Amino acid sequence: MIRNTVHVDLPGRAYDVLIGPGLLPQAGTLIAPLLRRPQVAIITDETVAALHLSTLQASLDAAGIKHSALALPSGESTKGWPQFSRAVEWLLSEKVERSGIVIALGGGVIGDLAGFAAAVVRRGVRFVQIPTTLLAQVDSSVGGKTGINTPQGKNLVGAFYQPSLVLADIDLLSSLSTRDFLAGYGEVVKYGLLGDADFFDWLEENGPKLRDGDLAARVHAVTRSVQMKADIVMRDETEQGDRALLNLGHTFCHALENATGYSDRLLHGEGVAIGCALAFELSSRLGLCSQESPSRVRAHLRAMGMRTDIADIPGELPDAEALLALMGQDKKVLDGKLRFILNRAIGQSFVTSDVPREAVLTLLSDALRG
Ligand code: GLY
């Protein structure tokens, strides 16, 4: 059985990310060494609970670990104060101790919310991430960003709080719809584009096979993505510098998500993919990279059957000025200036606040015309 381990070596809070098939049925055995008392509290959502909770519970039973579970409603709207306080109060009512363990079983919403709940209950109890989506496996479950949304914006309340273990079971990806899988793939491509041209070459070659279910290709893609994320997080845990590279495509993405009401019209990973294509187009227009680079990015996204351009988003969108204003609300704004992740080539991203407003406006107007 293929199983890879990425070690996130942060002083005093190091942990392993295990990547491979068949991890969920072994979760009890893998988590047992972390426990002082054989007891855990699971936070999940209703959709994931129907698919995967019984497998987790059976593995905990087999390892002699007592468990209780809270299944929150599925969807982004769960990631706010009401369900967060429900989760915190439930953990307290379950008498989770300082030495206890919370298991987050789900996608990004559950991982972020349960991680933040673990960070504040009794001033911090340990937690284990069992990410069930591709997006959560390659991005949100690793690196310790936890939090919730507020009426003022996404992820504005939270904590950097690292998990104690991440179990990325590749088998769970088979239960995703093609659309959800490809949205997560947007984040996978991002890693190649921001820092590893060889990985992007590999994705161009192996992406379709990976999409169609090839296990070894999926394990490789998740492992390489997690390794790249771990390397960046080890250099810059709290995003004072390099970690911002992980936001390639995200300034555009957040404006598009906001404009589409964080709805089914545009999934986060789809926005990331479109945002990456726009970031390369902008870099090329500013003379930072060759014209071939954005064409290659778009060609790969198209070959995967992904949304690639703003024109691929169904329904009306605001005009370029309004989109630019939405970009200004992004939390990546620093000292009032928009920060962009631009590219010198595929695999070579850098952070800059030095982008002429007019260039962004023209890019958006052109993109909106399709
Ligand atoms: N998702 C971006 C980060 O973890 O920094």
Side-chain angles (χ1 to χ4, degrees):
M1 187 100 77
I2 335 166
R3 180 182 298 172
N4 293 333
T5 302
V6 174
H7 185 62
V8 186
D9 197 9
L10 289 164
R13 53 213 183 288
Y15 57 97
D16 284 338
V17 183
L18 306 188
I19 300 147
L23 291 170
L24 186 63
Q26 294 175 40
T29 323
L30 295 166
I31 291 168
L34 300 176
L35 296 171
R36 265 179 242 157
R37 225 162 50 111
Q39 189 160 1
V40 294
I42 306 163
I43 298 180
T44 187
D45 74 30
E46 285 157 4
T47 309
V48 173
L51 291 166
H52 304 304
L53 183 58
S54 59
T55 309
L56 174 59
Q57 288 169 327
S59 87
L60 294 167
D61 287 338
I65 299 168
K66 283 203 219 139
H67 49 85
S68 51
L70 172 69
L72 300 173
S74 308
E76 184 74 25
S77 60
T78 285
K79 212 178 119 173
W81 289 114
Q83 297 298 334
F84 173 70
S85 52
R86 185 178 160 200
V88 166
E89 283 175 28
W90 177 76
L91 289 173
L92 292 173
S93 71
E94 289 300 304
K95 305 206 171 12
V96 173
E97 294 179 357
R98 208 73 202 276
S99 63
I101 291 264
V102 176
I103 299 179
L105 174 71
V109 167
I110 289 300
D112 284 8
L113 181 144
F116 186 36
V120 297
V121 163
R122 299 191 192 283
R123 297 203 178 90
V125 300
R126 291 167 304 155
F127 79 114
V128 172
Q129 290 267 21
I130 307 186
T132 56
T133 63
L134 181 57
L135 188 132
Q137 292 191 354
V138 298
D139 183 32
S140 56
S141 68
V142 180
K145 277 191 184 175
T146 70
I148 55 169
N149 306 327
T150 67
Q152 290 78 9
K154 276 188 80 173
N155 297 324
L156 291 180
V157 174
F160 286 100
Y161 192 65
Q162 301 292 340
S164 298
L165 177 69
V166 182
L167 302 177
D169 185 339
I170 300 298
D171 285 338
L172 307 189
L173 303 180
S174 318
S175 59
L176 298 177
S177 67
T178 306
R179 187 176 178 200
D180 281 327
F181 185 86
L182 287 179
Y185 185 78
E187 297 277 3
V188 174
V189 176
K190 180 193 79 176
Y191 288 105
L193 295 177
L194 76 87
D196 186 349
D198 289 344
F199 184 45
F200 185 74
D201 292 348
W202 185 90
L203 290 171
E204 283 182 316
E205 173 114 13
N206 295 283
K209 163 163 120 180
L210 187 160
R211 176 198 55 206
D212 298 340
D214 186 286
L215 185 70
R218 287 183 172 191
V219 172
H220 177 73
V222 174
T223 305
R224 182 65 195 128
S225 302
V226 169
Q227 184 65 63
M228 286 187 69
K229 177 145 191 186
D231 289 346
I232 290 175
V233 167
M234 285 187 282
R235 289 205 297 277
D236 176 24
E237 184 183 6
T238 56
E239 203 168 312
Q240 310 299 313
D242 269 11
R243 187 163 182 165
L245 295 175
L246 295 172
N247 299 323
L248 175 61
H250 281 63
T251 307
F252 291 107
C253 168
H254 288 156
L256 294 170
E257 279 186 292
N258 189 321
T260 48
Y262 302 99
S263 69
D264 210 34
R265 273 175 72 196
L266 183 73
L267 305 179
H268 175 71
E270 293 174 328
V272 170
I274 294 172
C276 286
L278 286 169
F280 269 86
E281 181 61 35
L282 182 58
S283 303
S284 157
R285 289 184 182 200
L286 294 173
L288 295 163
C289 72
S290 72
Q291 286 178 349
E292 192 217 334
S293 298
S295 309
R296 222 178 125 193
V297 174
R298 278 202 292 265
H300 179 53
L301 300 177
R302 285 255 172 264
M304 292 294 290
M306 295 166 72
R307 291 184 175 176
T308 306
D309 296 304
I310 288 188
D312 296 334
I313 303 170
E316 290 290 307
L317 282 173
D319 65 15
E321 280 282 0
L323 279 180
L324 190 61
L326 290 175
M327 290 169 88
Q329 285 170 24
D330 195 281
K331 68 179 182 307
K332 273 100 202 164
V333 172
L334 200 67
D335 301 330
K337 280 194 137 186
L338 269 179
R339 264 197 310 168
F340 284 90
I341 318 301
L342 296 183
N343 304 274
R344 293 198 178 86
I346 285 176
Q348 289 179 39
S349 290
F350 65 100
V351 186
T352 178
S353 302
D354 192 18
V355 177
R357 189 178 181 278
E358 279 311 309
V360 185
L361 208 53
T362 316
L363 173 81
L364 291 172
S365 306
D366 294 348
L368 283 163
R369 270 199 299 274

